Amino acid sequence: MTSPKTRYVHIARDHTDAPRKSVNPPIVRASTVLYDNVATMVETRDLDAAGERVFRYGARGTPTSFALEEAITDVEGGAGTLLFPTGLAAVAHPFLSILRPGDHVLFAETVYGPARALATEYLPQRGITCEFYPGGHEQVAALIQDRTRMVYLDNPGSIVFDIQDLPAIRAAIGDRDIALVVDNTWGCPGLYRPILLGADISVVAITKYVAGHSDVMMGSVTSNARYLKQLREDCDLLGQTVSPEDAYLALRGLRTAEARLAMHQVHTNKVADWLAAHPKIAEVLYPPREGDRHHSLFERDFAAGNGLLSVAFAPGVSQESVNRFVDGLKLFGLGASWGGFESLALVYGKVPGWDGGRIARLHIGLEEPDDLIADLAQSLDKVDV
């Protein structure tokens, strides 16, 4: 079963020979887990220490969260997955687990804003040097130091959606002891699989397209075998866990992700083409669209697109006009997240890694695209050039 449409329906379901079973895994709520005897408890702890996911204590996960871990591991192509209560907690975990005082980290200029805050406000206070690089693999190769322990990027980059050549970054790192970590929230589930392209760790905000309905907060860290044991042990030490109800909702969202994403892309292609032809829009930042400056790398490494893009306004458009444009939208909510069924808009001031026109980010939802275009048109009329 290689097709995502089939895999997302069947992964992480109970396929035992039981004569009666539910379609979905049950929600298992637990703190204490009871054992028949001491020998069984010791055996369970030994299995856990060996890296097997076993039901031993609620904070270490239940069969419900294990099912979601199994599914995300399959989707991402890793050796194992850990779950976190938010996407940001998942972003932070590789830093907390892998880095030590004296280490050096290379961050792409276009990383997610809260990841940038960790690099500028949190890690330096703990003796870790953080350096931002513009561009791609050429800069990584030039900036690696003897004490570099991690290269961290979003692919595509946050807000401006630049795409980096991940296999080339892997080649630049070579056999050095450096973790290559990618925030894959834009590309999950299944649009992009960074571990198969050379990354060690893939971080995802499950909140977005996996859960898919704007009602779950969750993150995941999927790792190859090289880092999984350390990441898992530190996850347990730090007490990171998710509720079984949220794990169930995320797993349910995954079942329909392929269908939702296909609709998001069809709608977004239509809206993006209309925006690109509008005289008040200088550029549509959406790598799946032919003509985008990163389209060739997208074609090579990505399976499909989604509903998230940005628009750069024509020179001379003020921030006040951009704000007025967003305020004038009727079908687009003003909100900081994305990945749900609804359309959203967000304004930005200065965006790291971007020196073009003023930017607004749009998430194109499952509404009729002609209705969205009409809404964009009436609000663009309010923009002064």
Side-chain angles (χ1 to χ4, degrees):
M1 295 185 297
T2 58
S3 167
K5 291 181 181 178
T6 303
R7 282 173 43 236
Y8 295 174
V9 170
H10 289 274
I11 53 177
R13 287 173 57 191
D14 184 1
H15 290 289
T16 64
D17 295 328
R20 291 170 297 279
K21 57 196 173 190
S22 63
V23 171
N24 295 304
I27 297 175
V28 178
R29 295 178 55 86
S31 54
T32 299
V33 175
L34 299 177
Y35 301 86
D36 286 343
N37 49 55
V38 172
T40 301
M41 177 180 279
V42 171
E43 178 188 17
T44 301
R45 288 179 176 174
D46 289 344
L47 289 171
D48 181 69
E52 184 174 332
R53 285 313 238 177
V54 288
F55 187 31
R56 57 167 297 203
Y57 185 67
R60 301 290 180 89
T62 74
T64 314
S65 59
F66 295 162
L68 179 59
E69 289 176 358
E70 177 189 337
I72 299 300
T73 298
D74 182 284
V75 168
E76 290 282 86
T81 294
L82 310 170
L83 300 177
F84 296 83
T86 66
L88 183 54
V91 167
H93 189 69
F95 304 142
L96 300 177
S97 180
I98 294 172
L99 300 177
R100 301 291 181 269
D103 287 348
H104 171 257
V105 186
L106 286 173
F107 285 84
E109 190 69 49
T110 55
V111 294
Y112 174 50
R116 174 178 285 272
L118 286 169
T120 58
E121 300 174 23
Y122 182 86
L123 295 176
Q125 296 180 26
R126 285 142 183 90
I128 296 164
T129 302
C130 300
E131 183 175 1
F132 292 91
Y133 69 90
H137 60 280
E138 300 91 350
Q139 287 75 24
V140 171
L143 294 172
I144 287 176
Q145 305 176 9
D146 289 342
R147 60 194 185 97
T148 303
R149 290 293 172 266
M150 184 180 292
V151 176
Y152 185 96
L153 64 147
D154 292 31
N155 218 21
S158 180
I159 307 172
V160 301
F161 307 118
D162 60 310
I163 294 180
Q164 297 192 37
D165 189 332
L166 198 61
I169 295 177
R170 178 78 269 168
I173 291 173
D175 59 0
R176 297 177 178 91
D177 182 22
I178 298 174
L180 178 52
V181 184
V182 176
D183 186 323
N184 188 38
T185 300
W186 193 99
C188 187
L191 307 180
Y192 187 57
R193 305 180 81 190
I195 291 176
L196 302 185
L197 294 172
D200 295 298
I201 298 166
S202 177
V203 177
V204 172
I206 299 295
T207 304
K208 307 301 196 288
Y209 280 123
V210 176
H213 292 78
S214 300
D215 55 6
V216 172
M217 300 294 293
M218 192 182 298
S220 68
V221 173
T222 302
S223 176
N224 59 16
R226 179 182 178 191
Y227 289 101
L228 181 60
K229 183 174 186 293
Q230 178 180 344
L231 290 166
R232 178 170 284 164
E233 288 176 351
D234 290 338
C235 181
D236 289 343
L237 283 172
L238 294 170
Q240 297 283 14
T241 191
V242 302
S243 80
E245 287 85 357
D246 285 350
Y248 180 91
L249 287 173
L251 191 57
R252 186 172 69 172
L254 180 64
R255 304 299 185 203
T256 64
E258 180 75 6
R260 287 185 285 105
L261 283 166
M263 187 178 290
H264 280 295
Q265 180 165 12
V266 169
H267 291 188
T268 305
N269 287 341
K270 187 170 185 177
V271 173
D273 286 344
W274 181 87
L275 285 165
H278 197 284
K280 294 180 182 179
I281 301 298
E283 187 174 357
V284 175
L285 307 177
Y286 185 59
R289 186 175 179 274
E290 191 170 349
D292 184 274
R293 64 182 73 185
H294 300 285
H295 183 69
S296 60
L297 270 179
F298 178 87
E299 284 279 283
R300 190 191 75 180
D301 292 343
F302 288 71
N306 60 22
L308 193 66
L309 58 83
S310 289
V311 291
F313 287 83
V317 173
S318 68
Q319 188 64 54
E320 291 74 17
S321 285
V322 175
N323 294 349
R324 191 159 55 249
F325 159 71
V326 171
D327 285 343
L329 293 168
K330 308 300 183 185
L331 296 179
F332 290 75
L334 176 59
S337 194
W338 49 272
F341 52 85
E342 76 283 12
S343 292
L344 296 168
L346 197 62
V347 294
Y348 289 90
K350 182 170 176 53
V351 176
W354 178 254
D355 56 4
R358 299 184 184 278
I359 281 182
R361 192 184 70 187
L362 302 174
H363 179 252
I364 308 303
L366 302 184
E367 301 95 338
E368 167 57 48
D370 287 339
D371 293 338
L372 298 177
I373 288 171
D375 190 28
L376 292 165
Q378 65 83 22
S379 202
L380 279 168
D381 287 343
K382 301 178 175 67
V383 172
D384 298 322
V385 178

